Amino acid sequence: MSPLWKGAAAGLVGGLAGAWAKSKTEPVLQVVGEDFFPPTYDEKQLPGADISGHPERMPPALLVARLTGGRISQTQTLAAQSRIHYVFGTGAGVAYGVLAEVAPVVGIGYGLPAALALWAGTHGTMLPALGLQARPADLPTSAHVWEVGSHLVFGLTADLVRRAVRRAL
């Protein structure tokens, strides 16, 4: 197996593990963020601001609603949102695994810089531009705590698992 395929395979496993870890830490980080930086009622109504209270207002759910014209149930939308979360995280892991093979400097910082770049390229720019999330400047500080924090958990987990799998290949 070539190094690129090994990197892709390791990245796939790492991305899946990272997506799982991210999904488990978001609710915990939301509580912490809201304890330290209580959002207003209006802030929590913004798209992308309240994963626990308004999962239907998170970017993947809004994308599903847009693509289906709102013709599927909230249960189906939230199930699709979960799938999107895992597919995107796994895809990001594959890309990271391949990039780490081509340019090892990508792995500096155990995935944390890459995770920040991923957040900036999605939640920081693309999702607000597509109208799937409020602008970062409009979101409450608490949302940044759990969103950026969970991306860091994703990056660290994805990188550590990728490294372990890559060594085993």
Side-chain angles (χ1 to χ4, degrees), residues 99-108 162-163:
L99 285 171
E101 293 292 326
V102 174
V105 70
V106 169
I108 289 176
R162 175 195 67 83
R163 288 172 190 255

PDB file of all heavy atoms in Angstrom, residues 99-108 162-163:
ATOM      1  N   LEU A  99      -2.711  14.882   3.410  1.00  0.00           N
ATOM      2  CA  LEU A  99      -1.849  16.071   3.497  1.00  0.00           C
ATOM      3  C   LEU A  99      -0.657  15.843   4.422  1.00  0.00           C
ATOM      4  O   LEU A  99       0.451  16.311   4.136  1.00  0.00           O
ATOM      5  CB  LEU A  99      -2.654  17.286   3.972  1.00  0.00           C
ATOM      6  CG  LEU A  99      -3.567  17.909   2.937  1.00  0.00           C
ATOM      7  CD1 LEU A  99      -4.462  18.962   3.597  1.00  0.00           C
ATOM      8  CD2 LEU A  99      -2.760  18.529   1.809  1.00  0.00           C
ATOM      9  N   ALA A 100      -0.878  15.122   5.500  1.00  0.00           N
ATOM     10  CA  ALA A 100       0.223  14.844   6.428  1.00  0.00           C
ATOM     11  C   ALA A 100       1.286  13.965   5.782  1.00  0.00           C
ATOM     12  O   ALA A 100       2.465  14.043   6.154  1.00  0.00           O
ATOM     13  CB  ALA A 100      -0.310  14.197   7.702  1.00  0.00           C
ATOM     14  N   GLU A 101       0.904  13.140   4.822  1.00  0.00           N
ATOM     15  CA  GLU A 101       1.878  12.331   4.083  1.00  0.00           C
ATOM     16  C   GLU A 101       2.678  13.195   3.114  1.00  0.00           C
ATOM     17  O   GLU A 101       3.882  13.052   2.993  1.00  0.00           O
ATOM     18  CB  GLU A 101       1.176  11.211   3.297  1.00  0.00           C
ATOM     19  CG  GLU A 101       0.540  10.147   4.151  1.00  0.00           C
ATOM     20  CD  GLU A 101       1.537   9.294   4.909  1.00  0.00           C
ATOM     21  OE1 GLU A 101       2.645   9.024   4.398  1.00  0.00           O
ATOM     22  OE2 GLU A 101       1.200   8.878   6.034  1.00  0.00           O
ATOM     23  N   VAL A 102       1.987  14.085   2.422  1.00  0.00           N
ATOM     24  CA  VAL A 102       2.615  14.928   1.406  1.00  0.00           C
ATOM     25  C   VAL A 102       3.446  16.042   2.042  1.00  0.00           C
ATOM     26  O   VAL A 102       4.545  16.355   1.570  1.00  0.00           O
ATOM     27  CB  VAL A 102       1.533  15.538   0.481  1.00  0.00           C
ATOM     28  CG1 VAL A 102       2.131  16.526  -0.497  1.00  0.00           C
ATOM     29  CG2 VAL A 102       0.791  14.438  -0.255  1.00  0.00           C
ATOM     30  N   ALA A 103       2.909  16.648   3.079  1.00  0.00           N
ATOM     31  CA  ALA A 103       3.573  17.769   3.756  1.00  0.00           C
ATOM     32  C   ALA A 103       3.493  17.533   5.258  1.00  0.00           C
ATOM     33  O   ALA A 103       2.553  17.999   5.916  1.00  0.00           O
ATOM     34  CB  ALA A 103       2.904  19.088   3.381  1.00  0.00           C
ATOM     35  N   PRO A 104       4.455  16.809   5.830  1.00  0.00           N
ATOM     36  CA  PRO A 104       4.398  16.466   7.259  1.00  0.00           C
ATOM     37  C   PRO A 104       4.229  17.668   8.193  1.00  0.00           C
ATOM     38  O   PRO A 104       3.738  17.511   9.307  1.00  0.00           O
ATOM     39  CB  PRO A 104       5.723  15.752   7.504  1.00  0.00           C
ATOM     40  CG  PRO A 104       6.097  15.192   6.170  1.00  0.00           C
ATOM     41  CD  PRO A 104       5.593  16.194   5.163  1.00  0.00           C
ATOM     42  N   VAL A 105       4.576  18.862   7.738  1.00  0.00           N
ATOM     43  CA  VAL A 105       4.403  20.056   8.562  1.00  0.00           C
ATOM     44  C   VAL A 105       2.938  20.239   8.970  1.00  0.00           C
ATOM     45  O   VAL A 105       2.639  20.853   9.993  1.00  0.00           O
ATOM     46  CB  VAL A 105       4.946  21.314   7.827  1.00  0.00           C
ATOM     47  CG1 VAL A 105       4.069  21.684   6.640  1.00  0.00           C
ATOM     48  CG2 VAL A 105       5.078  22.484   8.774  1.00  0.00           C
ATOM     49  N   VAL A 106       2.012  19.668   8.180  1.00  0.00           N
ATOM     50  CA  VAL A 106       0.584  19.747   8.494  1.00  0.00           C
ATOM     51  C   VAL A 106       0.294  19.146   9.869  1.00  0.00           C
ATOM     52  O   VAL A 106      -0.602  19.595  10.573  1.00  0.00           O
ATOM     53  CB  VAL A 106      -0.239  19.032   7.392  1.00  0.00           C
ATOM     54  CG1 VAL A 106      -1.688  18.843   7.803  1.00  0.00           C
ATOM     55  CG2 VAL A 106      -0.147  19.800   6.093  1.00  0.00           C
ATOM     56  N   GLY A 107       1.061  18.135  10.267  1.00  0.00           N
ATOM     57  CA  GLY A 107       0.831  17.462  11.537  1.00  0.00           C
ATOM     58  C   GLY A 107       1.413  18.157  12.752  1.00  0.00           C
ATOM     59  O   GLY A 107       1.222  17.711  13.874  1.00  0.00           O
ATOM     60  N   ILE A 108       2.108  19.280  12.525  1.00  0.00           N
ATOM     61  CA  ILE A 108       2.659  20.021  13.669  1.00  0.00           C
ATOM     62  C   ILE A 108       1.504  20.484  14.554  1.00  0.00           C
ATOM     63  O   ILE A 108       0.487  20.967  14.069  1.00  0.00           O
ATOM     64  CB  ILE A 108       3.502  21.214  13.195  1.00  0.00           C
ATOM     65  CG1 ILE A 108       4.797  20.710  12.568  1.00  0.00           C
ATOM     66  CG2 ILE A 108       3.795  22.182  14.341  1.00  0.00           C
ATOM     67  CD1 ILE A 108       5.672  21.799  11.978  1.00  0.00           C
ATOM     68  N   ARG A 162      -4.940   9.023  13.978  1.00  0.00           N
ATOM     69  CA  ARG A 162      -4.277   8.894  12.678  1.00  0.00           C
ATOM     70  C   ARG A 162      -2.842   8.427  12.856  1.00  0.00           C
ATOM     71  O   ARG A 162      -2.384   7.507  12.173  1.00  0.00           O
ATOM     72  CB  ARG A 162      -4.289  10.223  11.922  1.00  0.00           C
ATOM     73  CG  ARG A 162      -3.512  10.197  10.600  1.00  0.00           C
ATOM     74  CD  ARG A 162      -3.234  11.595  10.075  1.00  0.00           C
ATOM     75  NE  ARG A 162      -2.329  12.356  10.907  1.00  0.00           N
ATOM     76  CZ  ARG A 162      -1.000  12.274  10.855  1.00  0.00           C
ATOM     77  NH1 ARG A 162      -0.403  11.430  10.039  1.00  0.00           N
ATOM     78  NH2 ARG A 162      -0.255  13.036  11.646  1.00  0.00           N
ATOM     79  N   ARG A 163      -2.129   9.027  13.777  1.00  0.00           N
ATOM     80  CA  ARG A 163      -0.735   8.644  14.015  1.00  0.00           C
ATOM     81  C   ARG A 163      -0.627   7.176  14.446  1.00  0.00           C
ATOM     82  O   ARG A 163       0.253   6.454  13.989  1.00  0.00           O
ATOM     83  CB  ARG A 163      -0.104   9.548  15.081  1.00  0.00           C
ATOM     84  CG  ARG A 163       0.164  10.951  14.596  1.00  0.00           C
ATOM     85  CD  ARG A 163       0.593  11.844  15.763  1.00  0.00           C
ATOM     86  NE  ARG A 163       0.627  13.235  15.377  1.00  0.00           N
ATOM     87  CZ  ARG A 163       1.748  13.914  15.147  1.00  0.00           C
ATOM     88  NH1 ARG A 163       2.918  13.327  15.277  1.00  0.00           N
ATOM     89  NH2 ARG A 163       1.681  15.180  14.802  1.00  0.00           N
TER      90      ARG A 163
END
